[in-house]
Amino acid sequence: MAGEVVSHAAEAAHHGVDLVPVVALLAAGVIAVPLFKRLGLGSVLGYLAAGLVLGPSGIGLIADPASVLAAAELGVVLFLFIIGLEMEPMRLWALRKQIFGLGVIQVGTCGALLTGVGVLIGFAPVVAFVFGMGFVLTSTAIVMQILGERGELATDGGQKMVSILLLEDLAIVPLLAVVAFLSPTTDDADAWTRLAAFGLAVGAILLLIFLGRRIMNPFFAFLAQARVREVMTAAALLVVLGAALLFQVSGLSMAMGAFLAGVLLSTSTFKHQLEADVEPFRGLLLGLFFLAVGMSLDLGVVAENWQLIAISVVAYMLVKAVAIYVIARLLRSDHAEALERAVLMGQGGEFAFVLYTTAASTGLIDAPTNAIFTATVIISMVLTPFGIIGMRYLMPKKVQSMDGVETADGLSAKVLIIGFGRFGQIVSQPLLALRYSVSIIDNDTDMIRAAAQIGFKVYYGDGTRLDILRAAGAGTADLILVCTDGRERTNRIVELVRHEFPLAKVMARAFDRVHAIELMRAGVDYQRREVFDSAATFGGEAIRQLGADEQQIADIIEGLRERDRQRFELQLNGDDWRTGGQLLLNNAREQAREGGVTVSDADAEAVAQRSERETQGG
């Protein structure tokens, strides 16, 4: 079957562009990634599995994974550019201790330990050094992708990992120089050549800094005057790939060139435009990179050397992960953060391929050894998503500290406030101004401690539990105010309070219009949508800025409130969310009048209904 597919592909190539591999790669990503994400395995593992199926070890549709991998590395380049755009120079300077402190400690310690592991396995010291230092270089693409999907790039733990990855990307430069120095063909001429190469690399960095600070902004400003979107997109790609090419010909990492270009443009007024232009290419090429890594896994080499590779994978991943965990704990990271970093960064990475290929080309290692090293790194990359899945079950659930926090017990105030976030804090003020007795409960201990610092007494308690409500005084309270911010949570509390404490009046914070209707049907005495009043005030200020007087503003806002009340009553008593759409003011008639077009009432109603559908949460 695979042979037939390949023959068809070859036949198609004779008639022009061979679209079979392109379609196969796209189909593999489109099918595998959603499937693996639905199974909870993550997008990276989906790409790797799809690549394995398409590559020489699978159906053999892609016969040369190396060529795909070379092109797909542009995905990593574009990804580093986008990361650079988020790293303003001041922010990067603030991370200097993590980059050159934590990063150097982790790379140096892991490199020494993994070199020792290689010697124990049976490799010569120099070969073990190459193997170990290559494995130290974690996959930037995989870690960044996982952190991005989980929204952890900006967290403290995420920033530490980003800092280490940046140091590892920088480390590839001296490592390549060391490999060249250790190669069997070292002589004086080579030393001078390396010195010249070092000067060329420094010159490339200085040139890019000059271009970024002096040329790029005026360049983009000039292009923006043309108001042609595709020109800006082409310019964005030109800057990224040009920086990558400059660093590549200077003997540096393409990814580092793109990253530096991003940093230099991070304060530019065109920052967001550049990010929007590059993002689609970044996503596709990064996915292609993971596909290519999966294709590169040669199951034949794995089968022939399975014992050596199995020992290497287990030993290298285990030693590296333990070292990372110990370093993190010594530098005062908590157990959860240290464990997450160890699991995520316990793998090898794409820069190991560069280091091993260079070592092979200089005669430091032979081709079979290169294949074994490469297979070890690829398998570690494939195993990482599984490690993350296992970590979810092994990681202890974060327990809130109860230091300085009291649990609700025996409270008996006239008013009970459940939830003391930004909404509940404001709600409490009129009650306290009239000196009503108020009890407050919340389930966020950090917020409770913060409230105590400004004079509030807030008790710990989960409002969805009946025993907590009784302990908080719900049974004796005249008024219960549900000020929580989750609609499901709020609905649960309201349902419980209405059923168990029918004599108390209940008021609730509504997330949106639909939620407000749900609350009224659940029996609350009063509800208020959390953004309605602020939006009305904001709109009033807008027409004040345009010249409306105070009486006009008052009349307009009163009209808004009355129409909203009527519309809400119609929706509450009906079963169609579109009910009352005619009460919404819309700009259809006004725009049509300016254009000389007559709009019927039916057309206006259709626009109103569409507006209502799009803004039903308002």
Side-chain angles (χ1 to χ4, degrees):
M1 179 64 185
E4 293 179 7
V5 173
V6 174
S7 64
H8 284 308
E11 183 180 348
H14 288 299
H15 298 284
V17 178
D18 185 7
L19 290 178
V20 174
V22 177
V23 173
L25 288 169
L26 292 173
V30 168
I31 295 171
V33 172
L35 177 61
F36 274 67
K37 290 200 72 173
R38 181 175 289 273
L39 294 174
L41 300 177
S43 62
V44 172
L45 193 56
Y47 282 121
L48 292 172
L52 183 61
V53 171
L54 293 178
S57 297
I59 63 175
L61 186 59
I62 308 296
D64 185 15
S67 61
V68 179
L69 185 61
E73 283 179 2
L74 293 179
V76 181
V77 169
L78 294 174
F79 196 31
L80 265 292
F81 175 72
I82 290 178
I83 295 299
L85 285 176
E86 301 300 325
M87 292 284 183
E88 296 184 7
M90 291 299 294
R91 185 179 175 189
L92 199 59
W93 179 250
L95 292 173
R96 66 190 184 281
K97 292 182 180 179
Q98 294 180 6
I99 295 174
F100 297 103
L102 175 59
V104 169
I105 292 172
Q106 180 168 310
V107 169
T109 303
C110 291
L113 291 173
L114 294 182
T115 298
V117 170
V119 172
L120 291 176
I121 290 176
F123 294 110
V126 172
V127 176
F129 171 79
V130 173
F131 194 2
M133 293 309 299
F135 203 92
V136 164
L137 306 178
T138 307
S139 174
T140 301
I142 289 180
V143 175
M144 288 293 202
Q145 178 87 348
I146 292 172
L147 290 177
E149 287 181 353
R150 291 160 57 173
E152 296 180 2
L153 279 171
T155 63
D156 183 57
Q159 288 291 284
K160 289 178 182 177
M161 280 190 267
V162 170
S163 301
I164 296 169
L165 290 171
L166 290 176
L167 192 279
E168 290 178 353
D169 286 350
L170 286 171
I172 187 63
V173 180
L175 283 175
L176 290 173
V178 170
V179 165
F181 179 78
L182 294 174
S183 65
T185 57
T186 302
D187 54 36
D188 293 338
D190 287 336
W192 282 108
T193 301
R194 292 189 198 100
L195 183 62
F198 177 78
L200 182 62
V202 173
I205 294 173
L206 295 176
L207 176 60
L208 185 56
I209 292 174
F210 170 77
L211 293 174
R213 293 176 64 89
R214 301 292 183 184
I215 305 299
M216 288 187 189
N217 263 324
F219 172 66
F220 281 110
F222 172 75
L223 294 178
Q225 294 175 359
R227 300 183 180 277
V228 181
R229 177 66 183 270
E230 56 268 26
V231 170
M232 291 296 290
T233 302
L237 292 174
L238 173 63
V239 167
V240 180
L241 300 182
L245 177 62
L246 175 63
F247 270 47
Q248 183 186 44
V249 298
S250 304
L252 299 172
S253 159
M254 289 194 297
M256 280 307 302
F259 175 79
L260 181 56
V263 171
L264 293 170
L265 288 168
S266 62
T267 56
S268 168
T269 54
F270 301 98
K271 168 184 173 179
H272 298 294
Q273 177 71 43
L274 291 169
E275 187 172 358
D277 288 339
V278 169
E279 179 62 29
F281 299 97
R282 191 278 307 176
L284 283 172
L285 288 171
L286 196 59
L288 184 61
F289 172 80
F290 293 128
L291 284 168
V293 170
M295 294 177 210
S296 302
L297 182 58
D298 189 339
L299 296 182
V301 172
V302 175
E304 291 175 10
N305 304 275
W306 69 270
Q307 291 177 317
L308 177 58
I309 292 174
I311 292 171
S312 299
V313 169
V314 173
Y316 276 67
M317 290 190 73
L318 185 60
V319 170
K320 184 180 179 184
V322 170
I324 291 171
Y325 178 85
V326 172
I327 291 170
R329 294 292 281 160
L330 290 175
L331 296 178
R332 300 181 180 178
S333 294
D334 61 30
H335 169 69
E337 181 182 323
L339 181 60
E340 181 182 46
R341 192 185 308 166
V343 173
L344 272 175
M345 304 192 76
Q347 60 183 306
E350 53 274 2
F351 285 126
F353 307 146
V354 177
L355 189 67
Y356 297 157
T357 302
T358 302
S361 65
T362 59
L364 200 58
I365 61 176
D366 56 25
T369 303
N370 182 24
I372 292 171
F373 289 178
T374 300
T376 302
V377 171
I378 292 174
I379 292 173
S380 75
M381 294 169 74
V382 171
L383 291 177
T384 296
F386 288 107
I388 295 169
I389 295 169
M391 184 180 65
R392 295 177 194 164
Y393 297 99
L394 296 176
M395 182 88 73
K397 292 185 177 179
K398 191 172 182 179
V399 179
Q400 294 192 90
S401 170
M402 297 298 289
D403 293 341
V405 176
E406 291 184 43
T407 302
D409 187 22
L411 306 182
S412 58
K414 191 178 187 69
V415 180
L416 172 62
I417 296 179
I418 304 172
F420 201 60
R422 64 186 190 276
F423 191 90
Q425 291 167 27
I426 297 173
V427 166
S428 70
Q429 294 304 291
L431 297 165
L432 296 173
L434 292 180
R435 299 186 181 279
Y436 285 107
S437 59
V438 177
S439 294
I440 308 170
I441 64 171
D442 199 286
N443 65 347
D444 185 341
T445 56
D446 290 334
M447 193 286 307
I448 292 173
R449 281 187 285 269
Q453 295 177 4
I454 55 175
F456 284 95
K457 183 62 179 179
V458 181
Y459 295 89
Y460 178 80
D462 183 354
T464 62
R465 289 175 50 184
L466 180 58
D467 59 330
I468 297 296
L469 290 175
R470 293 189 189 279
T476 58
D478 293 336
L479 182 62
I480 299 175
L481 309 180
V482 184
C483 302
T484 48
D485 60 359
R487 64 190 297 167
E488 291 80 10
R489 183 180 184 80
T490 300
N491 289 348
R492 171 61 182 150
I493 295 172
V494 167
E495 178 185 348
L496 199 57
V497 168
R498 285 284 68 181
H499 185 267
E500 298 293 334
F501 311 106
L503 299 181
K505 293 183 178 179
V506 181
M507 300 171 61
R509 165 190 182 180
F511 175 74
D512 56 19
R513 178 176 293 274
V514 174
H515 189 210
I517 294 173
E518 292 174 357
L519 290 172
M520 291 300 294
R521 289 174 176 168
V524 299
D525 296 283
Y526 181 84
Q527 56 72 33
R528 198 62 177 171
R529 306 200 303 279
E530 59 185 25
V531 299
F532 178 80
D533 292 293
S534 58
T537 302
F538 194 90
E541 182 59 31
I543 59 177
R544 177 183 284 110
Q545 295 289 335
L546 294 174
D549 58 42
E550 295 302 319
Q551 186 58 51
Q552 283 180 304
I553 295 171
D555 291 342
I556 291 294
I557 299 303
E558 179 57 33
L560 165 64
R561 294 182 185 279
E562 177 59 23
R563 288 193 305 277
D564 184 79
R565 185 194 63 77
Q566 294 176 18
R567 179 172 157 228
F568 187 80
E569 288 292 334
L570 290 170
Q571 291 175 326
L572 183 62
N573 297 321
D575 57 1
D576 189 346
W577 60 264
R578 291 171 295 187
T579 303
Q582 72 276 7
L583 293 170
L584 276 174
L585 298 182
N586 63 73
N587 61 352
R589 288 192 179 88
E590 185 62 29
Q591 289 182 354
R593 190 180 300 115
E594 291 176 359
V597 179
T598 301
V599 179
S600 68
D601 289 341
D603 291 336
E605 173 67 10
V607 172
Q609 289 180 357
R610 183 169 66 251
S611 176
E612 166 74 2
R613 184 166 59 253
E614 293 171 352
T615 60
Q616 59 177 306

